[in-house]
Amino acid sequence: MTNWIDIGELNDIPRQGARVVKTALGCVAVFRTVEDQVFALEDRCPHKGGPLSEGIVHGSKVTCPLHNWVFEMNTGQAQGADEGSVPTYATRVEGGRILLDAQMLQNRSAA
Amino acid sequence: MTQKIVVIGAGMASGRMLEHLFEAGADVDVTLFNAEPRGNYNRIMLSPVLSGEKTYEQIVTHDDDWYAANKVTSRFGERVVSIDRDRKVVIGENGEVPYDQLVIGTGSNPFIIPLPGKDLDGVIAYRDLEDTHRMMEVGSTPGSKAVVIGGGLLGLEAAAGLQMRGCDVTVVHIMGHLMERQLDEAAGYLLRKALVQRGIKVLCSTNSKEILGEDGKVRALLLDNGTELPCDLLVMAVGIRPNIAVGQAAGLDCGRAIKVDDQMRTSDPSIFAVGECVEHNGNLFGLVAPLYDQAKVLAATLMGQEAAFQPREVSTKLKVTGCDLFSAGDFADKDGREDIVFRDPARGVYKRLVLENNKLVGAVMYGDTADGNWFFGLIKDGSDVSEMRDTLIFGPAFQGGSSDPLSAVAALPADAEICGCNGVCKGKIVDAINAGANTVDAIRATTKASASCGTCTGLVEQVLAVTLGDDFVMPTAQPMCKCTDHTHEDVRRLIKSQALKSMPAVFQELAWKTKDGCHSCRPALNYYLLADWPLEYVDDPQSRFINERKHANIQKDGTFSVVPRMWGGMTTSDELRAIADVVDKFKVPTVHVTGGQRIDLLGVRGEDLPAVWSDLNKAGMVSGHAYSKGLRTVKTCVGRDHCRFGTQDSSGLGIQLEKALWGSWTPHKVKLAVSGCPRNCAEATCKDIGVICVDSGYEIGIAGAAGMDVKETEQFHKATSEEEVLEWVQAVMQLYRENAKYLDRIYKWVNKVGLDWVKEQVSDEATRKALVERFAISQTVYQKDPWAEHVEKEQARYTPIATLNLEAAE
Ligand code: SRM
Ligand SMILES: Cc1cc2nc3c(=O)[nH]c(=O)nc-3n(C[C@H](O)[C@H](O)[C@H](O)COP(=O)(O)OP(=O)(O)OC[C@H]3O[C@@H](n4cnc5c(N)ncnc54)[C@H](O)[C@@H]3O)c2cc1C
Ligand code: SF4
Ligand code: FES
């Protein structure tokens, strides 16, 4: 089951940039790529907890600002020699608005 | 029994449907309403009519004879007002018509941005013949000016058509590149370049604010940034909305458009819809190819035959003569997708293929679109391309042979041009190789190939490899990163020599292998571009490391540190009090006196940054740039005013230096110090630039280091006045800014170019003055306190986009 929540306008996030959504269970980073795709990832690097929302976005990847691990945002998988993954959440863009799947966000509290 | 069919709208979709019905000899009696005072014409060919390449007569699809022959009752120029479903009648402006089956084909309405002034005379959309005539009329008036809002397909076709009629045209586009829905940034860059070359002005990332008028007529478009663009005609081409008014009022099930099933049937079994006014499985349509499929399905349905509509891939071409572009499929990044990028800067060609699971799923090309349909076929058929992957991008001509990418070069004929700048063909290079030139440098020297812009270096290497076979060893200069084969030095040189002034320009002209670079090359390119073109290039925060993007130093726990400037290491009780107040107010956990003679507030929460800065700004303090590849600190000792050994005003000179240099971006951080005597309490002899005051003047040293390497500065110049120190220091800063590789400190750069060269440049008075002048120009743009700017304009960067209360959502 999904529960789409409108979190804001696509244009509130700069291209190749990110903003965070605050939740009681920590922040979710919402990224926008150069081609206007939107991804949502837990805002915590599995390496040492770096805030991924502050990273550099290139293609569908983001580079952690602390030690340059690179993550594929479609899967949350670390790239190259690094091992680890970040939880990802479903997003949709409709009529210029960004929708985030809140059900998945809630589910993680149970996990 | 003859079916009474009423059709609302004589558009491209319903017209095609009627053709199918009549060709199949269906037993039907058709009444056709059209709001436009004419029958069916080929709407997509309005653009060639506008540009003068066709006449209206040539684009009429169905003329009076055709309607008469098929016994269609035409009610052109008559709008349908409503549908009475209970009585099964359609009510037109001039009366009712009963139906057995009803077809709605009302197309779309252009979207008009609700700007003030949108109703002025001279503000039009681009949809029908009336709009086209209006543009032709204005375009043909000598000296006329037009503004087109919208840089998509329609807007650009309108702009090109107007321009071909002699009109002075400006396109205003809100997004960062043209046709962003169909093109990626690289292709958008080439398209813009072509349009600009033919004289159309193109403003991207630009917002409109208001349409200004005079006596009820449009006069100008006012932009967000205050600029006024005078115009006699304003064309809005910003998108379309399905025209569903009649269907909606009749109570048909609608989403964003009228919902239909696979047979094109609406929620009322006797009513069908076709064209842009329909929504099928959540999808809307804006190009004719799928509409023709719908028309065929609907004709079959109306004749009681079985047929089902399936959406299919569409491809896009722009109908602007001379701008060859092609885009098809889906080229968004997804997991498991890979890009193959080919760029031929000399010919202005760009091609990008997107592969997923060994299949081609998307293609964008510009400049050379000859293979577009072949790629489109591969996308539609879902063919497995793994066998031809290595040569896929070269098109069908190179398939079937060996899969070695070099074979593409091997297959080139002797007269194929390799170096566009110097007109050197493959045969000439092969001759040079056979005559003994066995390196790229030797080929450069003997044939000039790759000696100018250098972008064909890769091709020359391939010709070498093909010709020499095993004897060829690829040169091993370190490329900038995986996105390019060019070294930092080459890229810097090419940015200058080719006047590349934007990121997409670099990516295209220097044949980048990725679409938007990576975390390693983008910060470097951003620096090179802003250093070389301070007035033209616009700094890109998204290509900066977080510290420089948020103007504070990120910590291991994601909080930030804040270091306000203390000019020359001097402070006052007021500044200290303001700092103490900030520490209390924002509960800053750690305060540290830095090695750079100032105070560091550590552990500030990202969200608090603007408020912290605002308070510090009020006390007169600005950013210390403790995070930047730019000027950091100028350490000083107290000097002549207090110290018994002091020879000159070392702290005063340090403050002057810091005030002249702050805010400038540099290849790596730059630290200075000024000591009042050779005892050197400010540690000036291990700084990037250090000044030691002596009785007879000032000893300037450069290229010191005290970080990972420790190295004493080298004697650079002996100055006799403070003005002279300022001039020489600014000149050497600018020389470093213009020439060094990104992330080389001054000592590393000097080590590469030689101290003698640096001295030679700066000693020459004309060169020195020119360097200082260029530094001053750059400072007019960059010497601004980023904290003040962000407090005022960039607050949003520091706040969450949303705060979710998950309990409430449950
Ligand atoms: C705050 C400070 C330490 C302190 O508390 O005193 C400091 C803190 C950092 N230094 Fe430093 N350096 C500080 C003075 C120095 C000095 C001494 C000086 O400036 O007189 C040096 C040696 C001189 C030099 O610059 O070479 C110094 C050599 C480095 C280096 C090595 C640079 C090199 O080229 O070898 C790095 C790494 C780098 O920049 O790549 C570095 C990097 C860092 C960073 C920015 C690491 C990072 O990227 O996160 C540290 C940030 C800590 C934080 O979380 O805020 N820091 N660092 C000093 C700030 C000075 C200021 O007021 O701006
Ligand atoms: C300048 C231009 C260039 C284009 N170029 C291309 C291209 O290169 N490739 C491509 O694939 N597509 C292109 N298109 C898009 C293409 O023209 C449309 O997708 C297509 O025309 C839609 O067909 P339709 O039958 O749904 O609607 P339309 O062709 O718009 O026909 C709808 C008709 O219904 C009439 N109508 C509306 N409401 C009523 C009412 N209440 N009563 C009576 N009549 C009514 C309208 O007056 C109109 O004549 C272009 C469009 C334009 C404007
Ligand atoms: S020496 Fe500099 S970089 Fe190293 S831990 Fe200390 S502050 Fe950080
Ligand atoms: S915390 Fe992200 S790379 Fe180390």
Side-chain angles (χ1 to χ4, degrees), chain B residues 278-536:
Chain B
V278 311
E279 176 178 327
H280 178 261
N281 280 339
N283 294 314
L284 300 182
F285 305 85
L287 291 172
V288 293
L291 306 189
Y292 286 163
D293 290 347
Q294 294 177 356
K296 197 168 180 181
V297 170
L298 177 54
T301 306
L302 291 174
M303 292 184 288
Q305 298 161 2
E306 271 194 31
F309 172 65
Q310 270 181 334
R312 59 152 157 170
E313 295 288 346
V314 290
S315 68
T316 312
K317 282 190 171 179
L318 179 72
K319 299 188 299 300
V320 173
T321 313
C323 293
D324 290 329
L325 63 82
F326 177 90
S327 128
D330 178 1
F331 44 91
D333 281 313
K334 283 212 182 102
D335 192 34
R337 283 196 178 169
E338 289 167 283
D339 284 338
I340 301 179
V341 177
F342 170 87
R343 310 194 194 229
D344 181 346
R347 287 191 302 142
V349 172
Y350 166 79
K351 301 182 188 183
R352 176 167 155 233
L353 302 178
V354 183
L355 302 186
E356 184 174 14
N357 297 328
N358 296 324
K359 288 180 185 146
L360 189 62
V361 295
V364 193
M365 33 187 90
Y366 190 93
D368 172 4
T369 53
D371 299 334
N373 285 327
W374 184 69
F375 289 126
F376 187 41
L378 293 178
I379 295 175
K380 278 195 298 195
D381 302 344
S383 318
D384 186 320
V385 296
S386 43
E387 290 287 298
M388 49 183 168
R389 192 193 151 113
D390 288 342
T391 51
L392 187 63
I393 196 113
F394 298 111
F398 285 99
Q399 305 316 320
S402 122
S403 63
D404 174 8
L406 281 180
S407 66
V409 172
L412 289 175
D415 62 356
E417 191 173 79
I418 300 287
C419 171
C421 299
N422 296 300
V424 186
C425 60
K426 181 181 157 192
K428 207 165 158 193
I429 298 177
V430 172
D431 290 347
I433 298 170
N434 292 334
N438 56 4
T439 64
V440 174
D441 278 342
I443 290 174
R444 229 173 248 165
T446 47
T447 68
K448 277 203 146 76
S450 84
S452 297
C453 82
T455 49
C456 62
T457 309
L459 271 177
V460 173
E461 279 167 358
Q462 288 178 4
V463 176
L464 261 171
V466 168
T467 315
L468 291 178
D470 290 345
D471 294 340
F472 177 70
V473 193
M474 271 283 180
T476 52
Q478 266 297 318
M480 224 167 131
C481 64
K482 286 202 205 93
C483 305
T484 177
D485 293 329
H486 291 295
T487 60
H488 275 273
E489 287 75 9
D490 278 345
V491 170
R492 274 221 93 161
R493 182 172 56 79
L494 293 167
I495 284 175
K496 290 190 189 58
S497 66
Q498 295 195 27
L500 305 178
K501 300 185 182 176
S502 70
M503 226 48 96
V506 172
F507 292 157
Q508 172 59 29
E509 306 296 347
L510 305 188
W512 236 245
K513 290 184 231 168
T514 49
K515 148 179 97 250
D516 63 343
C518 69
H519 66 261
S520 166
C521 57
R522 280 228 313 272
L525 292 178
N526 187 53
Y527 170 72
Y528 294 154
L529 289 163
L530 73 82
D532 286 337
W533 316 109
L535 301 181
E536 286 121 317

Side-chain angles (χ1 to χ4, degrees), chain A residues 16 20 22 37 59 63 74-75, chain B residues 335 516 519 607 801-802 804:
Chain A
Q16 298 171 314
V20 299
K22 263 195 162 175
Q37 283 187 289
T63 302
N74 279 290
T75 56
Chain B
D335 192 34
D516 63 343
H519 66 261
E607 283 177 73
I801 186 169
L804 295 186

Side-chain angles (χ1 to χ4, degrees), chain A residues 53-81:
Chain A
S53 56
E54 315 276 30
I56 290 182
V57 176
H58 45 105
S60 59
K61 302 187 179 71
V62 61
T63 302
C64 177
L66 292 196
H67 316 99
N68 284 346
W69 281 27
V70 179
F71 297 89
E72 167 56 55
M73 296 192 280
N74 279 290
T75 56
Q77 280 296 329
Q79 303 290 292

